[in-house]
Amino acid sequence: MNKKILVTGGLGFIGSHTVVALQERGFDVVIIDNLSNSSIEVLGGITKITRISPEFENLDLRDKQAVNNFFEKYQDIDGVIHFAASKAVGESVQNPLLYYENNLNTLIYLLQQLKEKEAPKFIFSSSCTVYGQADELPITENAPVKKAESPYGNTKQIGEEIIFDTCSAVPHLKAISLRYFNPIGAHHSANIGELPIGTPQNLVPYITQTAAGKREQLSIFGNDYPTPDGTCIRDYIHVMDLARAHVIALERLLDDEQAENYEVFNLGTGKGNSVLEAVKAFEKVSGKKLPYTFVDRREGDIVAAYADTTKANGVLNWTAEFNIEDAMESAWKWQQKLEEKN
Ligand code: WQD
């Protein structure tokens, strides 16, 4: 009998790629998504890749009764991977209560259900944003969690604390928080990828939309940072490397004797690239010259962040296999597929 995994936010960017990886690993998947930041078409994209249509429940995890009803209906959930959350840094500053309700109440309702189960396993989608501007690079999991620069970042920090405290109080609950650096790219089939709604906040979808002629030019937020070329440095990790890490982490939790009650892992490539280097990588793989201009720094941006991946490499036996050019190539192929559709 296949193990059944609930993936919340499973029609989102990282969620959908993780559903594919789970199905290909033989897990049965049920998705919860309220379609607030995703499209039902993603379900078709997943099915096109794996030929298996995941079960899908369109429900809002802020509705406590709906969450309870879900677990009444699906008594056979063996684990949960929780992606569903709001994730726009700037929006969280404008509307903090939306972020605290959507990112924390939902987590609490899920954990309240899970703790009643026999051997619950939980994976939390966290972020390197919890480190803020780290004092030392590369960033290890022991780096201090600093005062968040945004309510979004704060919800990730508080979320991790809620899980830690719950695992301490409920010994049969096992959990892992995965701190992503900068997820980019798309599945190589271009049947699923990043689907930003409205103007992309993140760098790579803005680059691909500019190359596709949907945006006039890329605005690079600041070229006066203390870095070799003056632009910010990030650790851009292929979304399929990230998806594979979730399956490995889940199998660690399911294989009981290995995992501690609560563990945290950084997921990155371990390599930092500047914004200009990211642009050059895109130009190289796409053969397109990208129009860009330098503008003022963006509020809240940190100068540099890239992961020390020693722990995930060793404990999870996981290492990112794709580089930034692979990721840019897959992102561009996905954007071109989107243009064909529209
Ligand atoms: C990357 C670099 C920008 C857009 C955020 C969240 C993180 C995660 C990923 C959710 C920065 C520059 C960007 C543009 C630019 N989110 N940039 N022009 O801010 O590192 O991380 O998204 O999981 O938690 O904090 O990612 O892609 O927005 O920016 O110059 O139009 O690109 O200044 O240096 P970020 P990003």
Side-chain angles (χ1 to χ4, degrees):
M1 185 69 174
N2 295 342
K3 296 252 184 229
K4 180 170 277 190
I5 307 302
L6 164 59
V7 179
T8 72
L11 295 184
F13 176 35
I14 306 167
S16 56
H17 289 79
T18 301
V19 168
V20 165
L22 285 167
Q23 289 185 320
E24 288 179 343
R25 189 77 179 153
F27 289 99
D28 290 340
V29 174
V30 52
I31 291 171
I32 286 179
D33 203 302
N34 69 357
L35 302 175
S36 63
N37 191 24
S38 56
S39 155
I40 192 65
E41 287 175 30
V42 174
L43 206 50
I46 292 169
T47 309
K48 244 193 220 153
I49 296 168
T50 63
R51 299 272 173 266
I52 309 161
S53 186
E55 292 177 272
F56 171 62
E57 297 284 348
N58 178 352
L59 68 88
D60 192 321
L61 292 168
R62 289 173 295 188
D63 177 346
K64 184 173 183 174
Q65 193 50 57
V67 174
N68 297 354
N69 297 343
F70 173 88
F71 280 92
E72 271 304 304
K73 179 177 174 185
Y74 293 88
Q75 305 265 341
D76 55 350
I77 296 287
D78 295 297
V80 177
I81 304 183
H82 181 40
F83 293 102
S86 302
K87 62 165 197 168
V89 173
E91 181 189 45
S92 76
V93 176
Q94 308 303 322
N95 195 345
L97 288 177
L98 172 106
Y99 274 69
Y100 288 114
E101 182 190 35
N102 193 38
N103 292 8
L104 297 179
N105 285 12
T106 58
L107 172 63
I108 291 165
Y109 299 157
L110 284 171
L111 291 174
Q112 284 172 331
Q113 289 299 315
L114 274 183
K115 74 179 182 56
E116 301 310 321
K117 295 181 76 69
E118 212 173 284
K121 316 292 182 203
F122 187 72
I123 291 184
F124 181 60
S125 166
S126 190
S127 167
C128 64
T129 207
V130 302
Y131 299 114
Q133 178 54 71
D135 301 324
E136 286 176 43
L137 294 172
I139 304 172
T140 71
E141 287 82 355
N142 303 321
V145 170
K146 289 190 173 174
K147 164 114 184 62
E149 313 253 340
S150 69
Y152 159 75
N154 205 23
T155 65
K156 292 300 179 185
Q157 290 180 2
I158 299 169
E160 288 191 7
E161 288 166 12
I162 289 171
I163 298 163
F164 175 80
D165 289 342
T166 308
C167 288
S168 306
V170 180
H172 65 282
L173 169 61
K174 289 199 162 193
I176 286 178
S177 285
L178 297 174
R179 292 173 177 170
Y180 315 149
F181 280 68
N182 285 63
I184 64 170
H187 189 267
H188 57 80
S189 65
N191 284 315
I192 54 175
E194 198 167 0
L195 266 178
I197 295 177
T199 308
Q201 299 303 307
N202 294 125
L203 178 67
V204 173
Y206 207 103
I207 287 178
T208 58
Q209 287 192 12
T210 302
K214 291 166 71 80
R215 307 284 164 191
E216 202 182 313
Q217 63 179 359
L218 170 70
S219 298
I220 297 181
F221 301 138
N223 68 330
D224 59 350
Y225 283 97
T227 61
D229 64 18
T231 63
C232 296
I233 292 169
R234 296 290 185 273
D235 184 333
Y236 295 100
I237 176 169
H238 196 299
V239 66
M240 285 313 291
D241 275 328
L242 217 45
R244 182 166 51 85
H246 284 75
V247 177
I248 293 170
L250 178 70
E251 289 179 330
R252 177 174 172 78
L253 290 177
L254 291 168
D255 173 6
D256 247 2
E257 51 272 15
Q258 283 186 14
E260 291 151 39
N261 251 30
Y262 177 62
E263 295 175 305
V264 177
F265 295 94
N266 285 344
L267 294 182
T269 65
K271 181 173 172 17
N273 281 113
S274 73
V275 175
L276 275 176
E277 286 170 339
V279 168
K280 297 230 173 334
F282 176 81
E283 290 180 329
K284 181 177 173 192
V285 298
S286 65
K288 310 264 297 178
K289 187 91 187 82
L290 196 86
Y292 63 81
T293 180
F294 294 114
V295 299
D296 291 340
R297 295 181 174 190
R298 179 173 66 176
E299 187 70 28
D301 272 343
I302 57 169
V303 183
Y306 51 93
D308 178 314
T309 58
T310 310
K311 188 177 175 190
N313 299 156
V315 176
L316 296 181
N317 190 26
W318 167 91
T319 301
E321 292 170 357
F322 296 108
N323 62 32
I324 189 167
E325 289 176 5
D326 301 321
M328 288 293 189
E329 188 171 15
S330 64
W332 179 229
K333 190 177 165 196
W334 164 245
Q335 184 69 51
Q336 290 173 300
K337 187 91 172 277
L338 285 176
E339 298 312 306
E340 283 163 23
K341 273 192 229 171
N342 299 340

